[in-house]
Amino acid sequence: MIGELKRFLVGRPIETAAQHDQRLSKRIALAVFSSDALSSVAYASEAILVVLITAGAGSLPLVIEISLGIALLLLIVGFSYRQTIYAYPSGGGAYIVAHENLGQIPGLIAAASLLIDYVLTVAVSVSAGVFAITSLAATWGYGGLATYRVEIALACITLITIINLRGVKESGLIFSVPTYVFVVSMIALLGVGLMRIVTTNAAPIPVAPSELPIPTATIGLFLLLQAFSAGCTALTSVEAISNGVPAFRRPESKNAATTLLWMVGILGVMFLGLSVLAHYYGTVPREDVSVVSQIARQVVGTGPAFFVIQVSTALILVLAANTSYADFPRLASLLSRDRFLPRQFSSRGDRLVFSNGIVALGVFAALLVIVFDAREQAMLPLYAIGVFISFTLSQYGMVRHWLRLRESGWRTSAIINAIGAVLTAVVFIVIIITRFSHGAWAVLVLIPILVLLFRAIHQHYVTVARQLSLEKTARVVPVQRNTAIVLVSGVHRGVIPALEFAKSIATDNTMAVYVNLDDEQTEKVRVKWSQWGSGVPLIVLESPYRSLIGPIMRYIDQVDQLYDDDVLSVILPEFIPSKWWQHLLHNQTALAIKAALLFRKGIVVISVPYHLAS
Amino acid sequence: MIGELKRFLVGRPIETAAQHDQRLSKRIALAVFSSDALSSVAYASEAILVVLITAGAGSLPLVIEISLGIALLLLIVGFSYRQTIYAYPSGGGAYIVAHENLGQIPGLIAAASLLIDYVLTVAVSVSAGVFAITSLAATWGYGGLATYRVEIALACITLITIINLRGVKESGLIFSVPTYVFVVSMIALLGVGLMRIVTTNAAPIPVAPSELPIPTATIGLFLLLQAFSAGCTALTSVEAISNGVPAFRRPESKNAATTLLWMVGILGVMFLGLSVLAHYYGTVPREDVSVVSQIARQVVGTGPAFFVIQVSTALILVLAANTSYADFPRLASLLSRDRFLPRQFSSRGDRLVFSNGIVALGVFAALLVIVFDAREQAMLPLYAIGVFISFTLSQYGMVRHWLRLRESGWRTSAIINAIGAVLTAVVFIVIIITRFSHGAWAVLVLIPILVLLFRAIHQHYVTVARQLSLEKTARVVPVQRNTAIVLVSGVHRGVIPALEFAKSIATDNTMAVYVNLDDEQTEKVRVKWSQWGSGVPLIVLESPYRSLIGPIMRYIDQVDQLYDDDVLSVILPEFIPSKWWQHLLHNQTALAIKAALLFRKGIVVISVPYHLAS
């Protein structure tokens, strides 16, 4: 039944041979790799305003200057990553670049940051997408929808998880349409909005005092940096293209580099434009409707155009979440291949996708959504930390790369990456200082824990491999003698095949063991045994505390000491009900005994089933 | 580690031989068996007022008449149960009486009602006890405590569950003190309160209009019956003494009967008295403080006497919950012994108590508390249904008992029980009609479901017993030949002992099976096998969909068809990590294969462990 449900949800299995490389044109690659980065405009300007508003309406115009600074940072980071694309045509994720150039620990730190980020991407994007939809609903008078935002977000995550478990073959088209609809509608929104400002020569609309919360902070360096840090979430996923170079058509690096610059350009324009509009239209962050939806409403009203903007925003955010569903399982499988994560993450499921990574991502993202009540602005302080750690490590790794290889033009490249590394490191520190108490501390605690975990797992696998190695094995010793203990819970049909099997493998060395929990019952068993025991001696163990496991384990120890040259088998007659729920109706003692024997060295455990009709 | 935690919470195991009968004096038995019944005065009068207030303050004086009616019913039911005590000196619970005199189905209906009731007793009593404490806190100005009522209630349930898992040996004393403190303080409260009314010749205090909710109903027969039904919760657990006759000192029946009458008397006086005081002091049910606490406050103020009343109320309610912890596991074990519930409920844990029943009761009660937000008044409509079903069945069963046996004086006895049966049946119907939409329907749905479940379980056990019976077994056929399949995931040290064991039990009939998931890897395995395979043939199975289970099961089917006279064993080399968490790091394939083989008939499953050092 579970199998059928899985087939219905996930689809039929796909042959290994069907694995193939799909090469993407620049136009489609831009959609596939940029949806995550571009979608951040849905919340980045709002994040700046959320900080500024704490110092009152007077500080809101600063959004322009801060956005300009972030756009500049974006440009520098973009050029820095352009270097990585040329240097790592086979895909240069932060984990690979840092691991290769800086060593294991930096590599693992980058990996931990990235894994955290991918989970946050899903949680933040889905929450922001739901906010876009509830803003639309609230504008049209259905404010009540917002109370279901956690449920809607969880439903979205479940849906995306299932789609990814099926495997996304048709990704190109699915990505292109919403991404380009989003880009076009945003650019149109900006164009119309800015034109209206220019033509009416309007001064910024002052914020109505009734909409303002009471100021709790004053304008100062700290607040500015805090707002800057908040806006830096616009830079998330800029590195996506450099991870995916092999997916581009030839010449891969050149195409990828061009696409990266296009993406940076579009992202910068949209982000800056929205900040400018937010300023001129006197937008204030609100609980019920998003900043983008407020701007859109003022520019295009609440008609069909508004609908298109809100829905395409929601769609691109869902696509952004979907990007993580490719990145997280791939990174997890890389880590798993290098033995830093459990093996399960590197095995492809029957739909050829890394199913375990996909499910893990879905579960963690769902937990985040629940914890943060699907409010993406509350998650943002956690978000940027990981991004900038991986930026810094990756850029610094590139500097080391150039210094090591000294290919032609290495000086320029090293300088570009060094500027990128220093800048992102500074921003990283700024983010820590300004956002520490808003949740950034949690990421700083989590990353070292993950790194320690990776290393513990690695250590374990290395130890196991050494112990399983046959290289120094002494000669193989054949089994000299078998000893068999049959555990019986009574004398019934289920015991007979177990007894016969025991006699067939340990003819003169078989004994049956029964634990006395009730004297009367035991006497009955003794009598029946004389008739049905086939000559096998019945050992009755006393159990003053009504425990089964204790006396059995002690007896096994005794028997084990009898011979040195034998293998001791414990045989469990198990009757198997025909329906799964009937298992609940039988004492789970066989299971408990097996679990206890598992940790007892040198015991072979044998289950002889007796199948019951319904 | 889990074992140590269990020992710490539950204590060391107790020998079976320590099981003993503790006989109780009447005075202690009254405390032990009556806490549940007596504690219902904490909420019964309030339950009546809660209904009456919906018709406005004018209807409140009716509480006196309704309480008188309930007290009369109590007296009749008491005398009816007195008959049961004499007829069933070994304990006449409703399940036993109904099963014996009316048949299986009525017995099971009584059992289902009782199980539901025991769960409700815990949930209602604990919630009411928490309400007593939060009322005390609210009176003293700590109204905020009420927001934690669910948490407090769950903590109480957990604590009671743990105490009962330890086993309650010193029950007599523990019960006596709070019960008698409660009875004495209640009687004192009534005495002082009534005396003040008489001496001041006071008219009832009218209710302040500001305290009144807006009336939503009018006084009529339906409302009266509804209020009567609500008050009938005062009768819960009147049957407790008749269940526990064997625990009394000799002459058991006589002592038990006397104790029952005492209990009925005390309960009737307290219940009636509180209703009268509620009327004279103009008490109105409120969210924050209980009716009893309002009365107490007006009679004795908010000083130490108030504290004693509230705390002893809370304590006796907790004791009432504790009573169910004896009743529920005992009834579950009776049902389990008669094969209507899983066997696990009839096995005594290592502290000699029916641990599974205790844990089940705790879990269900906790769920109820969560669902009903620890508000006992909301649970009361569910409560009385089960009580009156078991009353009716038990009394009617007694009528049949007398008609069957026709002992001396059977006519009088039959008439008394018949009156009881008819009256409780009428009340049962009244409760259904008046409380149906308040939740009583849920109990009416649940009882038949439970009865069907009991019967399905019974059917299963009977079928299994028939199939396991050796009576018609043909002669035992010894095993002619063993065939062994060793499943290998690679060639490493863990495989060697499995291979040697296989050769020892099926010398010429052993084969190794490997599933090809990766051609390169498979080639390596083939090469290594030629060196380490000890001459056992290696079968490589192809798996285009990367599934392990499918190809293995198909191969097993093929091999199984080869011979008719053999036993087919599947041997799994398992490497066992030294720490439990390390299990997570290895593919759980062995487990999955075992689960698949479990349902494949006629396969012996053998685990040959290879233990890893840490």
Side-chain angles (χ1 to χ4, degrees), chain A residues 13-17 341-344 347-353 356 456-457 460-461 463-464 466-474 476-479 482 491-494 496-497 500-501 504-505 517 528 532 534 543-546 567 569 574-588 594 597-614, chain B residues 13-17 341-344 347-353 356 456-457 460-461 463-464 466-474 476-479 482 491-494 496-497 500-501 504-505 517 528 532 534 543-546 567 569 574-588 594 597-614:
Chain A
I14 298 175
E15 283 196 33
T16 315
L341 272 183
R343 291 219 179 121
Q344 289 92 321
S347 55
R348 287 180 187 270
D350 52 16
R351 296 282 294 184
L352 267 177
V353 294
N356 293 315
I457 290 170
H460 172 73
Y461 279 129
T463 314
V464 168
R466 204 171 48 231
Q467 287 186 55
L468 287 181
S469 160
L470 285 163
E471 273 173 25
K472 290 177 198 157
T473 308
V476 174
V477 187
V479 176
N482 275 310
V491 186
H492 51 67
R493 274 198 212 184
I496 307 296
E500 291 308 314
F501 183 78
S504 80
I505 68 166
L517 295 179
K528 269 184 158 180
W532 294 100
S534 312
S543 176
Y545 300 109
R546 297 166 309 289
V567 170
S569 303
E574 288 187 63
F575 47 87
I576 314 290
S578 60
K579 300 199 179 64
W580 65 267
W581 60 266
Q582 294 171 340
H583 277 276
L584 301 174
L585 298 182
H586 298 277
N587 269 315
Q588 304 302 312
K594 278 190 210 172
L597 289 172
L598 197 68
F599 290 93
R600 173 74 177 70
K601 279 197 187 176
I603 302 287
V604 172
V605 180
I606 301 179
S607 306
V608 180
Y610 181 78
H611 285 263
L612 297 172
S614 66
Chain B
I14 298 176
E15 286 196 29
T16 315
L341 273 183
R343 292 219 179 120
Q344 288 91 322
S347 55
R348 287 181 187 270
D350 51 17
R351 295 284 292 185
L352 267 177
V353 294
N356 292 315
I457 290 170
H460 171 73
Y461 278 128
T463 313
V464 168
R466 203 170 47 232
Q467 287 186 56
L468 287 181
S469 159
L470 285 163
E471 273 175 25
K472 289 177 195 155
T473 309
V476 173
V477 186
V479 177
N482 274 310
V491 186
H492 51 68
R493 272 197 215 186
I496 307 296
E500 292 308 316
F501 183 78
S504 80
I505 68 165
L517 294 179
K528 269 185 157 177
W532 293 100
S534 313
S543 175
Y545 300 109
R546 297 166 309 289
V567 171
S569 304
E574 288 188 64
F575 47 88
I576 314 291
S578 60
K579 299 200 178 64
W580 67 266
W581 61 268
Q582 295 171 339
H583 277 277
L584 301 173
L585 299 182
H586 299 277
N587 269 315
Q588 304 301 314
K594 278 190 210 171
L597 290 173
L598 196 67
F599 290 93
R600 172 75 176 71
K601 278 198 188 176
I603 302 286
V604 172
V605 181
I606 302 181
S607 306
V608 180
Y610 181 78
H611 285 263
L612 297 171
S614 67

Side-chain angles (χ1 to χ4, degrees), chain B residues 256-532:
Chain B
T258 313
T259 311
L260 175 66
L261 293 189
W262 268 100
M263 183 189 82
V264 165
I266 296 172
L267 173 56
V269 166
M270 293 200 301
F271 170 62
L272 259 181
L274 278 174
S275 291
V276 169
L277 285 189
H279 170 54
Y280 270 89
Y281 285 102
T283 316
V284 177
R286 277 164 56 172
E287 266 286 299
D288 54 342
V289 287
S290 65
V291 162
V292 173
S293 80
Q294 291 182 57
I295 295 172
R297 187 182 175 173
Q298 288 188 285
V299 175
V300 302
T302 61
F306 182 67
F307 178 82
V308 170
I309 289 171
Q310 288 307 108
V311 169
S312 69
T313 304
L315 279 180
I316 200 175
L317 282 161
V318 167
L319 285 185
N322 194 66
T323 316
S324 282
Y325 277 84
D327 294 336
F328 183 100
R330 192 178 49 210
L331 179 55
S333 83
L334 281 178
L335 286 167
S336 166
R337 214 189 45 196
D338 295 349
R339 299 190 184 171
F340 291 109
L341 273 183
R343 292 219 179 120
Q344 288 91 322
F345 285 106
S346 63
S347 55
R348 287 181 187 270
D350 51 17
R351 295 284 292 185
L352 267 177
V353 294
F354 296 114
S355 323
N356 292 315
I358 291 172
V359 171
L361 176 61
V363 169
F364 289 131
L367 286 177
L368 269 185
V369 163
I370 293 169
V371 168
F372 284 96
D373 203 21
R375 290 179 196 277
E376 93 280 3
Q377 291 292 339
M379 299 182 219
L380 288 181
L382 285 73
Y383 197 15
I385 292 263
V387 177
F388 278 85
I389 289 180
S390 63
F391 277 170
T392 307
L393 287 172
S394 156
Q395 304 312 310
Y396 181 52
M398 287 307 296
V399 175
R400 294 284 290 266
H401 171 88
W402 302 120
L403 292 179
R404 215 180 60 226
L405 297 183
R406 304 194 176 230
E407 292 159 340
S408 76
W410 65 272
R411 276 173 223 273
T412 327
S413 299
I415 290 171
I416 293 175
N417 282 131
I419 294 172
V422 169
L423 262 180
T424 51
V426 169
V427 173
F428 167 65
I429 292 165
V430 167
I431 293 175
I432 289 183
I433 293 170
T434 56
R435 311 286 271 178
F436 187 81
S437 61
H438 295 84
W441 63 268
V443 178
L444 287 183
V445 169
L446 194 55
I447 288 175
I449 291 176
L450 282 178
V451 170
L452 288 176
L453 190 68
F454 292 156
R455 285 172 64 90
I457 290 170
H458 191 70
Q459 188 55 44
H460 171 73
Y461 278 128
V462 169
T463 313
V464 168
R466 203 170 47 232
Q467 287 186 56
L468 287 181
S469 159
L470 285 163
E471 273 175 25
K472 289 177 195 155
T473 309
R475 65 185 182 81
V476 173
V477 186
V479 177
Q480 302 291 328
R481 183 212 306 256
N482 274 310
T483 306
I485 295 175
V486 184
L487 302 180
V488 297
S489 60
V491 186
H492 51 68
R493 272 197 215 186
V495 171
I496 307 296
L499 213 56
E500 292 308 316
F501 183 78
K503 282 166 64 187
S504 80
I505 68 165
T507 317
D508 304 318
N509 243 350
T510 296
M511 55 219 87
V513 166
Y514 179 78
V515 179
N516 174 17
L517 294 179
D518 179 308
D519 292 336
E520 206 177 313
Q521 202 62 36
T522 304
E523 202 40 48
K524 282 187 197 160
V525 167
R526 273 192 215 273
V527 171
K528 269 185 157 177
W529 193 260
S530 60
Q531 185 188 350
W532 293 100

Side-chain angles (χ1 to χ4, degrees), chain B residues 114-182:
Chain B
L114 285 172
L115 288 182
I116 293 172
D117 258 11
Y118 294 143
V119 174
L120 278 163
T121 299
V122 176
V124 166
S125 302
V126 168
S127 301
V130 172
F131 194 22
I133 295 300
T134 57
S135 298
L136 177 66
T139 308
W140 285 358
Y142 300 99
L145 193 68
T147 53
Y148 299 102
R149 65 175 171 275
V150 174
E151 288 83 354
I152 300 172
L154 292 179
C156 285
I157 290 175
T158 310
L159 191 71
I160 301 174
T161 305
I162 290 172
I163 289 174
N164 278 280
L165 286 174
R166 294 189 72 102
V168 190
K169 260 205 281 191
E170 314 77 359
S171 50
L173 193 69
I174 290 183
F175 273 79
S176 301
V177 177
T179 306
Y180 283 110
V181 170
F182 175 74

